[in-house]
DNA sequence: ATAACAATACCCGACCAGAGGTATTTTCGA
DNA sequence: TCGAAAATACCTCTGGTCGGGTATTGTTAT
């Protein structure tokens, strides 16, 4: 490995995307050390090889890319993490940044955009592609904050509500009092700050909890 | 162009994916004639060049890949269309087939899977990757049929319901009787075959109507 | 022009959800 | 082991939803 080359690891569950990135990147000042379709394999390799940069997808089969980002930063703080994702939701972008990502770009990026992003990140900047910059700077009233923390029981009941089950039906399926389910439902409404089921299901969907 | 080579056109809005496919495919018996990130450009090229095969994404910036598939088949019936998509919803797969696609594969396909698919399609078969085969063969009760036809008013009211507005609120905002809104809501339930709001919002979301 | 569909409106009864409380028992991590 | 959090349960009252009808007026495409 030459000192003047930037060593790169690619993590993406689509081998087509990995091929595309390799063919776009593996050249002059860049060196693709390895590529992985699952988070855990990638984790071991990154800990050993300490690459300069990880190109990371959010949707992985085993662990969330957001968690993997935090792990990488804990193991190898000097390794830069540039997230490449299809998600343009504000809360997902924010979560990656809070977990140490050095940049976030959408996958419909051009070759130039990608190379610019990589050099920006390697120069120590936090870098976004244009669309993402716009999303971060204008938090609209329809954008989401952090998803609320839900207990196991609440998640379970949320799913049953989403399946169209009534309070009574849920209660008898879980062998508890309907009054208990009503309490859980009220707590869900408070946590999501909504006032009825329709809104509840909408925001739970936006938070990808269903 | 040699007679023994299969000429291919790639249509995908992600240049990374295009690069990946090119590097995986452009070799021995295959020849990538061209690649496009928008449907209309691709359309003109395909009409002129009559490739043997089009690798087609469903999500395009200008037209739906489903519509483009029908167009291609109308212009050049001998050209095979192999859809490469991230969607695994039954109704989307079915729509592409009804519009003439010769195969459907998920983008997390391996190189071998991709080459197998291409040769199967070129041999005249209708080909699916394994996951898709499973989805087609077992239509579960959670799978979607065709989305129901909704009138303007119904779409409008559906959106207002999804925003958490009650029947009374909707009625006064639209200056009609609450009883009218109740009728519309009941019609929505019948069209979607659901029995309450929670289910309504869920299936409307699955149909991407919200 | 006429049939089909959309939008409007009404009735009734049964049931469910929502908002506000309070309180007990269980579970689980520090 | 002890305290916090989770899960359970109850109360009241108001309002909303849901299911089954029927019926009148517009619209619109054939």
């Amino acid at each position: 490995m030459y000192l003047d080359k930037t060593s790169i690891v690619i993590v993406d569950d689509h081998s087509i995307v990995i091929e595309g990135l390799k063919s776009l990147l593996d050249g002059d000042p860049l060196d693709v050390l390895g590529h992985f379709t699952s988070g855990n394999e990638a984790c071991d390799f990154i800990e050993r090889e300490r690459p300069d940069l990880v190109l990371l997808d959010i949707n992985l089969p085993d662990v969330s890319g957001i968690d993997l980002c935090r792990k990488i930063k804990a193991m190898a703080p000097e390794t830069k993490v540039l997230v490449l994702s299809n998600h343009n939701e504000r809360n997902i972008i924010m979560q990656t940044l809070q977990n140490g990502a050095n940049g976030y770009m959408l996958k419909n990026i051009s070759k130039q955009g990608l190379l610019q992003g990589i050099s920006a990140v390697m120069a120590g900047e936090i870098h976004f592609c244009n669309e993402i910059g716009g999303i971060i700077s204008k938090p609209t009233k329809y954008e989401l904050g952090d998803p609320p923390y839900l207990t196991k029981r609440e998640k379970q009941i949320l799913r049953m509500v989403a399946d169209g089950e009534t309070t009574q039906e849920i209660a008898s399926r879980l062998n508890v009092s309907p009054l208990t389910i009503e309490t859980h439902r009220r707590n869900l409404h408070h946590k999501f700050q909504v006032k009825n089921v329709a809104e509840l299901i909408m925001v739970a969907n936006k938070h990808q909890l269903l």
Side-chain angles (χ1 to χ4, degrees), chain A:
Chain A
M1 175 181 146
Y2 303 114
L3 285 175
D4 53 341
K5 281 209 177 193
T6 298
S7 59
I8 297 182
V9 167
I10 302 171
V11 187
D12 195 299
D13 62 334
H14 289 24
S15 57
I16 295 169
V17 172
I18 288 180
E19 277 304 316
L21 289 170
K22 268 174 63 185
S23 93
L24 285 172
L25 295 179
D26 211 352
D28 293 339
L30 303 173
D31 182 23
V32 177
L33 278 190
H35 49 84
F36 301 91
T37 54
S38 82
N40 289 326
E41 295 173 72
C43 218
D44 298 343
F45 185 87
I46 290 165
E47 185 163 29
R48 278 205 316 282
E49 299 294 330
R50 304 291 179 126
D52 299 321
L53 179 69
V54 177
L55 291 181
L56 183 60
D57 188 20
I58 292 297
N59 294 113
L60 298 174
D62 47 356
V63 295
S64 139
I66 295 171
D67 292 337
L68 182 55
C69 180
R70 189 178 55 252
K71 266 192 181 173
I72 292 170
K73 281 293 173 177
M75 292 184 323
E78 73 288 354
T79 293
K80 308 287 184 185
V81 175
L82 179 50
V83 176
L84 266 177
S85 167
N86 283 314
H87 294 284
N88 61 0
E89 293 93 10
R90 194 164 195 278
N91 67 323
I92 290 181
I93 300 165
M94 288 308 184
Q95 275 182 267
T96 65
L97 295 179
Q98 279 164 10
N99 284 284
N102 298 93
Y104 193 109
M105 305 179 96
L106 293 176
K107 280 191 180 173
N108 61 5
I109 192 86
S110 65
K111 178 172 182 176
Q112 298 96 306
L114 182 61
L115 294 176
Q116 274 173 28
I118 290 175
S119 56
V121 165
M122 290 313 299
E125 298 173 30
I126 304 288
H127 184 269
F128 309 105
C129 64
N130 297 336
E131 293 99 313
I132 296 297
I135 290 166
I136 291 175
S137 62
K138 59 159 169 50
T140 73
K141 70 165 184 169
Y142 291 107
E143 290 295 345
L144 307 167
D146 289 331
Y149 167 76
L150 298 186
T151 67
K152 270 187 205 168
R153 204 52 155 176
E154 285 166 350
K155 284 181 200 167
Q156 184 184 20
I157 289 164
L158 175 58
R159 280 182 219 108
M160 296 173 88
V161 170
D163 284 339
E165 297 189 61
T166 65
T167 299
Q168 277 70 17
E169 288 168 346
I170 296 170
S172 65
R173 283 228 295 145
L174 298 181
N175 290 310
V176 295
S177 158
L179 299 161
T180 304
I181 305 302
E182 280 190 12
T183 302
H184 287 305
R185 291 184 73 146
R186 230 158 345 109
N187 291 338
L188 282 167
H189 286 194
H190 286 140
K191 287 189 178 181
F192 282 102
Q193 300 185 54
V194 297
K195 67 179 214 291
N196 58 31
V197 230
E199 263 191 297
L200 176 67
I201 303 298
M202 280 302 282
V203 314
N205 262 306
K206 284 186 187 167
H207 282 296
Q208 311 194 310
L209 294 170
L210 289 173

